[in-house]
Structure formats: structure tokens, C-alpha cells
Amino acid sequence: MNEPYAHVSLIVAVVVAAIAAWFDWRRGEIPNWLTYGALVLGPFLHAGRVLASRQPMEIALTEGGYSIVGALACSIVPALLYKQGAIGGGDLKLLAAIGALLQTYNGVEAQMYGFFAAALVAPAYLAYRGKLFSTLKNAFTILANMFRPKTRQEPVAESTLSWFRLGPPLFFGVLVTAYLHW
């Protein structure tokens, strides 16, 4: 990142993740206008960043394409988790938006740091609320169901699921990634 506008995408990603974390913390949902807006903005941001530094159009289009690939790459694991009911749709869209804003490498890195932060905070939060053991049981059932045939899958009652707001840990992940790549 030697070009003059290299850090713009990092700043935008931190701002988007901060807004998402605030909404998720306060309301329990991440607004579509934020996630879809960032998802659409990502390719244009990267293409514009390249054009602003007076590089050829082909490089700008390539960077925009890398942004789309980043969104797809950052959606693979979250889409599987969403399909199993382990995360919400807002979290999935936020992770895709972060992938679009940070592209593949940095997007997956931010996702990894966010999941690590959630893995550290969630057990303490769930233990405090008295739901740690039931949540662990449900998590193992959901994981096992991924490998079982449809006829042998065990149901997990929706009333026994515990929801953890992933927005704040994802903000932490984006913040760490931005710091490391500044």
C-alpha cells in the first residue's frame, strides 16, 4: 500500500464496522442500508482509489474485481453458519461488506480476528447469563448435523438457542486489521 489513497478503504471499513457494531449492540440488528451500501461501495472505492493515483483503467477494474472476490470469499464460511442458524443475516451481510471493502486477504483477516474476539468474549457472556452449557450443547448438535444425512439430523429448538451480537467483535477485528495494515 504505497499509493496516496491506500488507507481510504481501511478507514471506510472501520467506520462501517463501528456503525454496524453500534446498531447491533443497541438494537440487535445491522441495517441493510449499511451493509448493502458498503457492499456496493467496495468495488467503486477500490477502482476510484486506483484511478485517483493515476494508474491505468485496467488496474482499476482489476481492483474492483478483487473487491467482489473479497465479498464472496468472506461470505463462504458465514453463509454455512447462517444456513445452520448459527449467525444472523445481518452478520453475514456485514462480513460480505467487510470483504468488499478490505478485499480478500484483509477481509478474511478481519473476519478471523472478529471470530477470535467473539470466541473469547462469548463464553464469559453466556456464563454470566447462565446459558453457557446449553449453548455449547446446541453448537455441537448444529456442527454434528452438518455431517449427518438429513434423516438423522437432530432438531435444535429455536427457544433453546442463545444469540450473541457479533457486530462488536467484528468491529474489533476490522480495527486490528486496519492497525496492522496501516
Side-chain angles (χ1 to χ4, degrees):
M1 289 193 158
N2 299 345
E3 58 197 62
Y5 303 101
H7 301 305
V8 172
S9 60
L10 293 174
I11 293 167
V12 172
V14 167
V15 169
V16 166
I19 294 169
W22 185 85
F23 272 101
D24 199 19
W25 183 263
R26 302 287 286 174
R27 298 184 182 172
E29 62 182 31
I30 300 169
N32 286 334
W33 60 263
L34 179 66
T35 55
Y36 289 140
L39 195 56
V40 170
L41 176 67
F44 292 107
L45 180 71
H46 287 285
R49 172 181 58 84
V50 170
L51 291 174
S53 60
R54 301 184 193 276
Q55 294 182 23
M57 177 64 87
E58 294 81 24
I59 296 174
L61 292 174
T62 302
E63 287 295 315
Y66 288 153
S67 178
I68 294 167
V69 171
L72 293 172
C74 289
S75 298
I76 294 170
V77 171
L80 293 172
L81 292 171
Y82 175 75
K83 185 179 179 204
Q84 294 296 320
I87 66 171
D91 299 325
L92 170 61
K93 291 179 281 189
L94 177 61
L95 287 162
I98 289 170
L101 292 171
L102 296 179
Q103 296 180 325
T104 306
Y105 180 81
N106 291 343
V108 170
E109 183 178 348
Q111 182 176 332
M112 178 191 68
Y113 290 134
F115 283 152
F116 283 162
L120 292 174
V121 173
Y125 173 78
L126 292 169
Y128 174 75
R129 300 198 34 121
K131 296 183 175 187
L132 179 62
F133 294 115
S134 65
T135 302
L136 287 173
K137 178 183 177 265
N138 288 339
F140 286 123
T141 302
I142 290 169
L143 180 65
N145 282 345
M146 292 175 70
F147 300 102
R148 292 181 180 144
K150 199 80 155 162
T151 57
R152 297 195 60 225
Q153 290 184 355
E154 293 180 29
V156 177
E158 183 132 357
S159 62
T160 64
L161 293 176
S162 299
W163 287 99
F164 178 77
R165 295 184 178 168
L166 200 53
L170 291 177
F171 169 61
F172 175 78
V174 171
L175 203 57
V176 169
T177 300
Y179 172 76
L180 293 174
H181 292 279
W182 191 262

